[in-house]
Amino acid sequence: MAAKRGRTVQRLELGLQLRQLRETCGLGDRGGGFTRKQAAQGLRISEASLQRIENGDLNFRNVGDLRKLLDKYGVTDEDVIEALISLNRDSSRQDWLTQYRGLMPAGMPGFVGLEPEARSMKAYHPTLVYGLLQTEGYAQAIHEVEKPIEETTSELIRSSVSLRMRQQEILTRENPVRLHVILGEAALRYPVGGAEVMREQYAKIAELTSWSHVTIQVLPFRTGYRSASDFAILQLGDQLPPRVQIDNAWGAVSTSDKPREVDRFTRRFDAMVASALPPEDTARFVTELAKELKPDEHASPDRARTRP
């Protein structure tokens, strides 16, 4: 039996189908499709809301608006109408991500909600260890450093770390996501939380390199192409288009399923794969970094002497 789809992917599927119906219905002014502005006329939703629905960010609160829209698009098959209404209804229910939505910047809930649906992921992080690879201690330390700048509470940090650990379940479940990560050398050298935290983080990365569905490469400090910003690419199978996620300077997350954008970031990733160290060198690289660590200043003398 196929796994039940998450709410995020249900909204995305609904939005894609509605966008296709709007663009290809043949009922527009010139025999083509409707613009969003034309489609929203006579409904209790705005053009902006329709765009968010088509992007998978919202669903219809009033099923009457959905029925009117389908009628405008010339959809008369009752089975199709009921299927879309059912998809809209199911996508409105709460799921595990609901409790964390308030923690995430704009755009991120949609991307995190799609991660469990992905067949494979590619990600690049130049300055920090990628979230799906982080230990709990590393994730905690990052949030603690940012606390006075972002004005976050201790409870918010606990919830954020909990979310990060929950996201990582896609790597340990049955039929895990295939993950390929490129880490900039700076991401591994930047000290987060002290020597013990970094030693634990290096050990986890070394362990993950032995997993058959995880590939980790290091992009060293040397001449060659490197993207200035981090990004991730999700492959969602045959039914949904791949998507790319990019963080911006304001803390929000932008996502796109436009083929041109996905192809552009795929080329970036492939260029860095060629410049990065081979995956089989990653464990050795982080092991050498661990040897360079000095004992934490506040560790007890006895504990410090027992460290390698």
Side-chain angles (χ1 to χ4, degrees), residues 13-52:
E13 183 178 346
L14 175 67
L16 287 171
Q17 292 193 43
L18 291 177
R19 185 172 69 188
Q20 291 170 357
L21 287 171
R22 176 177 61 79
E23 294 175 344
T24 62
C25 66
L27 299 173
D29 292 341
R30 298 182 179 179
F34 292 107
T35 64
R36 288 196 187 94
K37 183 176 182 180
Q38 292 170 333
Q41 288 177 354
L43 304 181
R44 285 174 289 183
I45 61 171
S46 65
E47 177 184 355
S49 293
L50 180 57
Q51 181 176 6
R52 294 192 66 193

Side-chain angles (χ1 to χ4, degrees), residues 54-122:
E54 290 184 352
N55 289 340
D57 297 326
L58 287 178
N59 56 353
F60 287 91
R61 293 186 178 181
N62 190 303
V63 72
D65 282 328
L66 176 54
R67 286 188 178 276
K68 288 180 181 179
L69 192 66
L70 295 175
D71 181 64
K72 180 176 287 191
Y73 295 163
V75 180
T76 58
D77 188 321
E78 280 300 322
D79 289 339
V80 174
I81 293 172
E82 287 304 317
L84 291 172
I85 289 175
S86 177
L87 194 57
N88 182 73
R89 180 180 61 249
D90 290 346
S91 68
S92 67
R93 294 172 180 164
Q94 294 186 346
D95 59 8
W96 71 270
L97 192 59
T98 302
Q99 62 180 310
Y100 297 109
R101 288 185 182 274
L103 306 175
M104 293 181 278
M108 188 175 174
F111 189 82
V112 172
L114 286 175
E115 285 179 338
E117 314 295 334
R119 293 186 180 181
S120 64
M121 294 178 61
K122 297 177 179 179

Side-chain angles (χ1 to χ4, degrees), residues 11 21 55 77 144 214 229 251 264 297:
R11 285 193 297 272
L21 287 171
N55 289 340
D77 188 321
E144 290 290 352
V214 177
S229 60
R264 182 158 67 99
E297 292 181 1

